[in-house]
Amino acid sequence: MNSFSEDDAFEAAAMPLSQRAMARPNAAYLDSLNPAQREAVQTLDGPVLMLAGAGTGKTKALTTRIAHLLATGTARPHEILAVTFTNKAAREMKNRIGGLMGEAVEGMPWLGTFHSVCAKLLRRHAELVGLKSSFTILDTDDQIRLMKQLIVAAGIDEKRWPARMLSGIIDGWKNKAITPENVPVADSGAFDHKGPQLYAAYQRRLLELNAVDFGDILLHMVVIFQKHPDVLEQYQRWFRYILVDEYQDTNVAQYMWLRLLAAGHKNICCVGDDDQSIYGWRGAEVGNILRFEADFPGAHVVRLEENYRSTPHILAAASDVISANKGRLGKTLFTSRTDGEKVRLIGHWDGEEEARWIGEEVEAMQRGTRGLNPVGLDAMAILVRASHQMRAFEDRFLSIGLPYRVIGGPRFYERMEIRDAMAYFRLAVNRSDQLAFDRVVNVPKRGMGPKGLAAIAEIARDNEIGSIDAVGIALERGLLKGKAGHAMSEFLQRIEQWNLQVAADEYTHIELAELILEESGYIDSFFAPQSDEEIERSEPRKHKDLEAPGRLENLKELVKALENFENLQGFLEHISLVMENETDEAEEKVSIMTLHAAKGLEFPAVFLPGWEDGLFPSQRGMDEGGTKMVDGERISIGLEEERRLAYVGITRAEEVCTISFASNRRVYGQWQSQMPSRFIDELPPDHVEVLTPPGLYGGGYGAAGMGGSASPAIAGMAGSDLHEKAHKADVYNSPGWKRLQARGAQRRMSQPSEARNMTIDLDAVSAFTEGERVFHQKFGYGEVMGIEGDKLLIEFDKAGSKHVVARFVVSADQADDVPF
Ligand code: ATP
Ligand code: MG
């Protein structure tokens, strides 16, 4: 496996001749570059560094350089190694090169992410580190599970020393290219002094399983290159040109891997921006880019200063925020544009209102608003700091039918086991659901081969009935015999029974869901078969494979999600919306993604929600980052990284950038009062327009002011008893807000018309006090235990404790008077 002559020779032969023939030094693609970019593109030999701010055309120059290498015949596609950070960025790079060359680019086998390129290399040389080339790549869940087993086996209390912690330590070592043999003495105390041993045990276990984790993909390649100079030399010769985008985010292992490879031809071109280094928490070393000239003596350094992406206001806002960081090179950025709107800032009552308002805004922009031309959904993105923020947007967009896509996010409802389970639920609700039947008829195995399935399909067709009824006929006619006949007969009976149970209301929908998963045999299918003796000895059942425990966890999570719905039908309807939303890729959609995933991308309109201290900057990011001394001053490494993330976020916007925050947010099920982000204070007021929060519509900032009482909503938001009792943080009293508010009063923005109705019904809430007896139309009598936003937490006498909207509740003594 360690020769790469076969497929590479094939790839070389596949290169279109026209590419080699296109040796035009004055090709049109060079015309769209500025002189500095052109210099970076045309300096083909020796190391080149492009260190420049956001939107200055680094990626454009890098891709043009690849096109140039190909067009001039300087390199063949497979001689170019081009790495970037996300699959999306890699795909875009490929497309851009194709666009520049005027034809689809084929045979660029080494253009991809670090991980995809390294995995491909590792498959060729797996045996050099004791793996087979068919190795599996474990995801984080698998990794954690494996570590858990090792921790338990070592007799360590997993509660005190959790697997996640060990995984963080081991990942950290791998990011630094540290193998179990060379863990530094300083780290020997890690994980109760057992870290190094457990690391070694974990690596042994992975080899036994013929598996690697993400960190291994790079680590193994570095080890192979270090221990097998012949292999390294081969690739050093082979990769004549190396290009790296987002170089500021390389970790030590990636850096070593690149340096080893580049030591051959030394034609390495790296581009990046120290202000956009956002993966320090994962071991990225911004020092790598700052050290480039020392690492590659004689490097040609190109600086780009003109930003082509954003309006002057957006650029000014981003520059001001990032200027608060101490440890930076500092760069000049300018734009020749003079047009554009100010960055918009708006505060909301809670996260749901924020999602609602953004939904309205997206629709307004789609129609064309404030004299702007209509903007397509593809042109809009919502960039969040933490993935849990996404849920509010997904739910809101689903309910208003706004198509969206989640990029790089967890696609819970797309997982195999979730789709299987859902298919069972669908059959329980509707026995004629054909797609659901097709999906699970043989899951778990019921011995249905293609012949049996064809017979059922034929009966269904001939009699114009659904497959499930066709099964009944097939059984009657004796067409399904033996094991399959037995299993299908049981399958049919179960479905009929579930149909009755759904209708009968005998079980709650949650109990029923659990029952269905059990009775269908689906849960069972994740366990290894047991022998009679094992059953007799009541031995615990073993999971079928490494993935089984994770899948079972997901199923539990699925059942938990049912709690938010009244019945199976309601849940299924909700999910079908989620699924539908994910399918049609061609349709225009607004994107939802994390700030990290947005690196390198650009959108005409960007929404940056959740700018609240603790959420953004993230408390965890700040706590775990540590500190360092810069110019005699102690600075927080984590906070600076969060600020770079803010810079990345703002600079993704081309035309309109909207920052928002909420004063209340539900985080992991708990309501919390939020303070506006300290980054809001760092925004330059001259470049920011403060928008009227929907709750303040009609009252405005005028005479009543923020603390006035022009409307109950205003009173509720800034000064009423209720507000003070329930929400300690008065978001509108922050210095940044006040400063910006003064500016905002000068110009009022027109609201989407529906926003007027978006006020929270604080009147309704304030009618209640804690401990009061109340009556709810559906849940009956109960006692108010808490007031959260416009919702009440009520302990109902019969229905237990529930969050309900205040509007549907009356005081117990009025219960008879009020018609609902
Ligand atoms: P980031 O730091 O965010 O990754 P970048 O430096 O890689 O940004 P690009 O994405 O390459 O910037 O370019 C930003 C935008 O500016 C793109 O839309 C690109 O097409 C445009 N652009 C780049 N260079 C020029 C140029 N010389 N003339 C006109 N437009 C340009
Ligand atoms: Mg870029």
Side-chain angles (χ1 to χ4, degrees), residues 53-60 96 245-246 271 276 309 599-601 652:
T56 51
K58 298 181 296 295
T59 303
K60 183 178 165 85
R96 282 207 212 178
D245 200 358
E246 311 277 3
V271 315
Q276 293 185 65
R309 180 180 293 147
K599 195 168 71 153
L601 306 180
R652 296 311 95 198

Side-chain angles (χ1 to χ4, degrees), residues 44 105 117 125 148 266 379 521 572 626 632 779:
L44 290 180
V105 182
V117 167
H125 303 284
K148 225 175 238 177
K266 299 198 177 61
L572 290 172
F779 302 117

Side-chain angles (χ1 to χ4, degrees), residues 380-636:
M380 295 186 248
I382 296 157
L383 311 181
V384 297
R385 172 65 185 91
S387 48
H388 66 72
Q389 286 173 265
M390 291 181 184
R391 200 61 238 168
F393 293 102
E394 289 194 53
D395 280 344
R396 182 64 195 160
F397 294 175
L398 281 173
S399 62
I400 59 171
L402 185 68
Y404 69 89
R405 65 169 68 82
V406 172
I407 295 177
R411 293 202 180 89
F412 183 75
Y413 294 112
E414 296 219 312
R415 292 169 187 242
M416 178 196 92
E417 64 278 15
I418 301 300
R419 282 177 176 265
D420 289 345
M422 301 293 301
Y424 274 109
F425 297 166
R426 278 159 57 189
L427 282 176
V429 168
N430 169 18
R431 66 202 303 270
S432 320
D433 190 322
Q434 188 61 43
L435 290 176
F437 174 87
D438 292 344
R439 182 169 183 104
V440 293
V441 58
N442 226 2
V443 177
K445 295 246 177 313
R446 294 193 174 87
M448 289 297 292
K451 248 169 77 185
L453 288 173
I456 290 174
E458 198 182 316
I459 296 173
R461 230 184 0 259
D462 291 350
N463 297 283
E464 292 183 9
I465 52 174
S467 293
I468 196 74
D469 295 318
V471 171
I473 297 180
L475 286 167
E476 270 169 30
R477 292 187 190 162
L479 295 174
L480 301 171
K481 295 195 201 74
K483 189 176 158 241
H486 186 74
M488 287 305 285
S489 156
E490 190 187 330
F491 182 50
L492 186 62
Q493 278 172 27
R494 292 283 189 208
I495 292 174
E496 278 164 4
Q497 187 187 324
W498 299 330
N499 290 157
L500 291 175
Q501 282 164 338
V502 166
D505 237 13
E506 178 187 350
Y507 296 98
T508 68
H509 63 295
I510 296 168
E511 287 164 344
L512 193 54
E514 285 171 344
L515 205 70
I516 292 169
L517 294 177
E518 275 298 332
E519 291 182 348
S520 58
Y522 191 59
I523 297 281
D524 241 21
S525 68
F526 293 105
F527 293 95
Q530 279 188 308
S531 67
D532 290 346
E533 296 81 61
E534 281 170 333
I535 295 172
E536 212 153 278
R537 287 198 302 269
S538 325
E539 284 194 8
R541 304 174 67 190
K542 290 195 185 66
H543 290 123
K544 194 183 78 188
D545 55 31
L546 212 59
E547 293 194 337
R551 296 196 190 280
L552 290 166
E553 283 288 316
N554 289 337
L555 290 172
K556 261 194 223 152
E557 197 60 41
L558 177 71
V559 173
K560 217 195 280 168
L562 280 166
E563 288 172 12
N564 298 323
F565 297 83
E566 294 206 353
N567 51 35
L568 273 184
Q569 289 91 327
F571 182 58
L572 290 172
E573 195 176 295
H574 173 80
I575 301 312
S576 64
L577 287 171
V578 179
M579 300 288 219
E580 194 180 304
N581 205 288
E582 306 260 335
T583 47
D584 185 3
E585 267 314 303
E587 191 188 5
E588 285 238 341
K589 288 172 189 159
V590 56
S591 301
I592 308 176
M593 68 186 96
T594 62
L595 287 161
H596 283 99
K599 195 168 71 153
L601 306 180
E602 58 190 19
F603 301 89
V606 167
F607 292 90
L608 300 169
W611 278 44
E612 296 136 36
D613 257 24
L615 180 55
F616 189 44
S618 133
Q619 194 58 47
R620 189 157 159 219
M622 290 189 289
D623 292 348
E624 292 179 2
T627 60
K628 68 175 177 191
M629 295 298 283
V630 174
D631 300 333
E633 203 181 321
R634 181 156 296 284
I635 59 156
S636 158

Side-chain angles (χ1 to χ4, degrees), residues 103-117:
E103 56 186 286
V105 182
E106 287 167 38
M108 287 276 308
W110 304 111
L111 187 159
T113 61
F114 275 101
H115 283 109
S116 71
V117 167

Side-chain angles (χ1 to χ4, degrees), residues 213-226:
D213 63 19
F214 277 118
D216 275 339
I217 298 177
L218 265 135
L219 178 67
H220 282 320
M221 277 320 298
V222 170
V223 168
I224 290 172
F225 283 168
Q226 284 172 333

